[in-house]
């Protein structure tokens, strides 16, 4: 064990001590509470060690959080946008003060390598600052002139909203949803994933330190079957923003049907990265490796299907095999680690199950395809894996594995690439590598995805829309698209007193 890893483990143990010693509760109406008293154990994917007890919200706990959000809604909506801007900027400052703590707690709670989690607080703070700066103009609409009438639109915050976030990069994704909701003037009830709940509490503490009024931000821990269901069905909640898998999205859509809540569902993907013969070889290789093996492959926009053109296939796969074999798997707090343990034993079993499925379906395991528990102990470690000689009809090409696992498929023509890319129930993201501008434009038009990157890995641009099509979700985040979701548009028509009003019954 390196000296740096030893030092990082010591720091992380210091940050985690309070969670081990005290049950993590809910944050409701500006106060911490254990609610009903039910709890569950939280463990680390690094070695299955105990991280502490977490309160499991009952329906009564969720109701209390929703009622607090409802009570605070009018006051927060009436708070001038310039004042909301100041508070959210202070919140960003609070996050950056605790950047090291957030990174280390997140790494130990969900298994992500520290090299990626070091940016979690910085990106979270950027989310709050970006949307904070939009808050003063969030209500602004359009002016629409007619000969004898003038129409104008305004936007008003919806009121209390539910934000349900996932376990893979929980801190950053929570800020991505909550920041625009608060900037728009909505109050929030946040339910983090039960598998990685710790940094959500740090977020709530930072909101309190920034001076957010009581009841504007509420957080409840627990399970989807109880807390999630109560939250999505509560009549005070006007909208639900979810980041999760497609099965959860279907369930929430059904649960919200009786109250006709507005939904934004950011769901799963089986995203293609399409490498043509004329692509910049080295840049494409770097991007292919990064976009599936970073963040343990546990990211919705990961490029888990490699579609590689026949003329370059052998050379590209040979270089790819070498790169995948060289990826450093290790403790997430080790600065050298590139892939850490998978988030939970259940997910580890799901991912490793695909190693046998690939062989049964006739694919070849070119690299990896095995558990590392015999070598690295009880943590949820697996080898970065590459499947080759695969067909798009195979389960490894159709189902979201959500791990450091890449499936390579050969194609011949541009038409073949389009057909293969679209032959999936998902449509979140896609990546196209070619030096032919015309080809890039044609592919961008024909590939069925909510987001496409050409000659690039996933590049984050906060004003741009983020979301998918087909089974990958409903709605868009980012920039003004977020405000369209969290706000209701109202049209006002004013007559010039020059038109003739129709007369009846005179």
């Amino acid at each position: 064990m390196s000296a740096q890893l030893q030092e990082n483990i010591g720091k992380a143990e210091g940050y985690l001590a309070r969670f081990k010693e005290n049950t993590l509760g809910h944050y409701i109406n500006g106060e911490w509470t254990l609610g009903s008293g039910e709890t569950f154990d939280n463990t680390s994917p690094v070695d299955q060690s105990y991280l502490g007890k977490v309160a499991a919200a009952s329906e009564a706990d969720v109701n209390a959080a929703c009622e607090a959000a409802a009570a605070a809604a009018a006051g927060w909506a009436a708070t001038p946008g310039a004042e909301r801007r100041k508070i959210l900027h202070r919140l960003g400052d609070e996050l950056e003060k605790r950047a090291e703590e957030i990174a280390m707690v997140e790494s130990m709670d969900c298994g992500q390598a520290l090299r990626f989690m070091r940016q979690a607080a910085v990106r979270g703070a950027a989310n709050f600052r970006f949307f904070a700066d939009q808050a003063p103009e969030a209500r602004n609409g359009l002016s629409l002139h007619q000969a004898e009438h003038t129409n104008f639109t305004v936007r008003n915050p919806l009121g209390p909203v539910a934000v349900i976030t996932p376990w893979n990069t929980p801190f950053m994704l929570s800020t991505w949803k909550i920041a625009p909701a608060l900037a728009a003037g909505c109050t929030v009830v946040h339910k983090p994933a039960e598998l990685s709940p710790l940094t959500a509490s740090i977020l709530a503490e930072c909101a309190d330190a920034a001076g957010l009024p009581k009841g504007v931000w509420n957080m409840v821990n627990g399970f989807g079957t109880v807390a999630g269901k109560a939250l999505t069905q509560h009549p005070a909640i006007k909208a639900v923003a979810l980041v999760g898998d497609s099965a959860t999205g279907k369930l929430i859509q059904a649960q919200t049907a009786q109250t006709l809540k507005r939904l934004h569902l950011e769901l799963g993907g089986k995203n293609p990265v399409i490498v043509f013969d004329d692509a910049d070889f080295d840049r494409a290789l770097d991007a292919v490796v990064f976009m599936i093996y970073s963040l343990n492959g546990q990211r919705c926009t990961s490029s888990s299907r490699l579609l590689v053109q026949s003329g370059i296939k052998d050379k590209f796969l040979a270089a790819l095999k070498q790169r995948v074999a060289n990826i450093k798997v290790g403790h997430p707090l080790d600065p050298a680690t590139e892939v850490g343990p998978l988030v939970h034993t259940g997910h580890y079993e799901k991912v490793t199950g695909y190693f046998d499925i690939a062989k049964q379906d006739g694919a070849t395991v070119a690299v990896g395809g095995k558990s590392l528990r015999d070598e690295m102990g009880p943590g949820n470690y697996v080898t970065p894996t590459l499947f080759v000689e695969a067909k798009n009809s195979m389960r490894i090409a159709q189902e979201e594995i959500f791990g450091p696992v890449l499936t390579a498929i050969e194609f011949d023509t541009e038409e073949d690439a389009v057909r293969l890319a679209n032959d999936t129930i998902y449509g979140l993201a896609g990546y196209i590598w070619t030096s032919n501008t015309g080809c890039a434009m044609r592919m961008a038009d024909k590939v069925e995805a909510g987001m496409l990157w050409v000659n690039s890995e996933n590049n984050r641009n906060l004003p741009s829309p983020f979301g998918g099509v087909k089974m990958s979700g409903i709605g868009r985040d980012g920039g003004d698209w977020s405000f369209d979701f969290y706000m209701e548009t109202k049209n006002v028509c004013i007559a010039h007193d020059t038109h003739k009003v129709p007369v009846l019954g005179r």
Side-chain angles (χ1 to χ4, degrees):
M1 182 183 295
S2 70
Q4 185 61 65
L5 175 55
Q6 285 182 316
E7 180 182 339
N8 287 347
I9 290 174
K11 287 182 178 179
E13 287 176 347
Y15 291 130
L16 291 166
R18 65 185 180 117
F19 298 112
K20 294 180 181 180
E21 295 165 3
N22 304 288
T23 299
L24 175 60
H26 318 297
Y27 183 69
I28 299 174
N29 201 31
E31 305 291 338
W32 288 94
T33 175
L34 297 180
S36 64
E38 294 293 323
T39 64
F40 61 93
D41 289 346
N42 184 31
T43 59
S44 175
V46 175
D47 54 8
Q48 313 304 333
S49 61
Y50 177 74
L51 292 180
K53 289 192 177 296
V54 182
S58 66
E59 184 175 348
D61 298 329
V62 173
N63 288 344
C66 293
E67 289 162 8
W76 183 242
T79 301
E83 180 61 23
R84 293 200 299 272
R85 179 184 183 275
K86 291 178 184 177
I87 293 172
L88 297 182
H89 268 282
R90 289 201 299 267
L91 209 165
D93 295 342
E94 293 294 327
L95 298 183
E96 289 199 339
K97 289 177 188 176
R98 300 176 69 174
E100 181 183 77
E101 176 188 4
I102 291 165
M104 290 190 168
V105 169
E106 188 112 305
S107 288
M108 291 299 290
D109 199 20
C110 69
Q112 299 286 11
L114 186 62
R115 65 169 60 211
F116 300 116
M117 293 301 98
R118 285 195 185 281
Q119 295 300 309
V122 175
R123 294 182 69 184
N127 288 337
F128 277 104
R129 289 174 179 144
F130 173 82
F131 287 109
D133 288 339
Q134 316 305 313
E137 286 84 38
R139 294 194 64 192
N140 291 357
L142 300 173
S143 178
L144 307 166
H145 294 280
Q146 297 173 271
E148 296 181 302
H149 295 80
T150 295
N151 291 264
F152 66 90
T153 64
V154 294
R155 294 191 297 195
N156 294 309
L158 287 177
V161 299
V163 174
I164 301 174
T165 50
W167 46 255
N168 52 329
T169 50
F171 181 85
M172 199 286 293
L173 288 173
S174 296
T175 67
W176 178 233
K177 295 292 187 182
I178 294 171
L182 296 176
C186 294
T187 55
V188 170
V189 180
H190 176 210
K191 194 198 91 64
E194 63 271 17
L195 296 181
S196 53
L198 299 186
T199 51
S201 66
I202 300 175
L203 264 177
E205 291 168 352
C206 290
D208 184 64
L212 207 66
K214 289 186 176 183
V216 171
W217 181 319
N218 306 274
M219 187 271 291
V220 292
N221 287 298
F223 298 94
T225 52
V226 178
K229 183 178 181 181
L231 181 56
T232 57
Q233 292 183 333
H234 197 282
I237 297 297
K238 305 304 179 186
V240 177
L242 166 77
V243 183
D245 61 27
S246 299
T248 303
K250 292 178 189 178
L251 190 61
I252 287 177
Q253 190 169 41
Q255 289 172 179
T256 59
Q258 292 303 311
T259 49
L260 292 178
K261 299 185 193 305
R262 185 174 294 183
L263 293 177
H264 180 268
L265 306 176
E266 183 191 322
L267 307 177
K270 195 67 180 175
N271 310 305
V273 53
I274 306 167
V275 180
F276 285 90
D277 290 345
D278 62 357
D280 184 315
F281 187 95
D282 292 331
R283 288 171 62 83
L285 180 62
D286 287 342
V288 167
V289 173
F290 178 78
M291 280 309 302
I292 184 60
Y293 299 108
S294 60
L295 297 175
N296 299 350
Q298 296 173 156
R299 65 194 305 177
C300 59
T301 55
S302 66
S303 48
S304 55
R305 285 186 301 153
L306 167 63
L307 309 183
V308 58
Q309 198 163 21
S310 52
I312 200 177
K313 185 198 78 169
D314 291 342
K315 179 182 177 183
F316 196 87
L317 290 184
L320 180 60
K321 290 174 188 177
Q322 184 175 354
R323 290 285 295 275
V324 177
N326 288 338
I327 290 173
K328 169 68 174 175
V329 180
H331 194 292
L333 296 182
D334 188 336
T337 292
E338 295 171 312
V339 170
L342 301 179
V343 68
H344 186 262
T345 298
H347 187 61
Y348 157 88
E349 291 171 350
K350 172 192 170 183
V351 172
T352 55
Y354 280 97
F355 301 159
D356 288 333
I357 289 171
K359 297 171 187 175
Q360 292 164 8
D361 286 354
T364 298
V365 181
V367 182
K370 65 176 184 176
S371 165
L372 289 173
R373 279 188 171 171
D374 289 342
E375 302 165 40
M376 301 182 66
N380 301 326
Y381 294 97
V382 301
T383 53
T385 297
L386 173 63
F387 299 136
V388 299
E389 304 302 327
K391 304 295 182 184
N392 205 56
S393 58
M394 293 179 180
R395 288 180 60 186
I396 56 172
Q398 291 293 320
E399 299 177 8
E400 187 178 36
I401 301 173
F402 217 62
V405 180
L406 177 61
T407 299
I409 302 168
E410 181 181 4
F411 74 90
D412 291 319
T413 67
E414 184 178 319
E415 292 73 21
D416 290 336
V418 171
R419 175 180 54 80
L420 291 169
N422 293 341
D423 182 21
T424 171
I425 62 173
Y426 298 106
L428 184 60
Y431 305 84
I432 300 163
W433 284 87
T434 178
S435 61
N436 184 324
T437 302
C439 174
M441 293 297 291
R442 292 189 298 272
M443 294 296 291
D445 179 60
K446 293 176 182 178
V447 173
E448 297 169 352
M451 301 171 287
L452 290 168
W453 284 267
V454 177
N455 295 335
S456 178
E457 76 289 1
N458 178 332
N459 174 64
R460 179 172 126 109
N461 183 45
L462 295 181
S464 296
F466 188 105
V469 300
K470 300 195 289 189
M471 293 294 286
S472 288
I474 299 170
R476 296 292 181 270
D477 278 321
D480 210 49
W481 284 270
S482 290
F483 287 132
D484 275 341
F485 175 72
Y486 290 113
M487 305 185 82
E488 196 72 78
T489 298
K490 178 189 294 183
N491 186 76
V492 179
C493 179
I494 299 178
H496 301 173
D497 295 338
T498 58
H499 76 290
K500 183 179 179 180
V501 178
V503 175
L504 297 176
R506 180 178 293 174

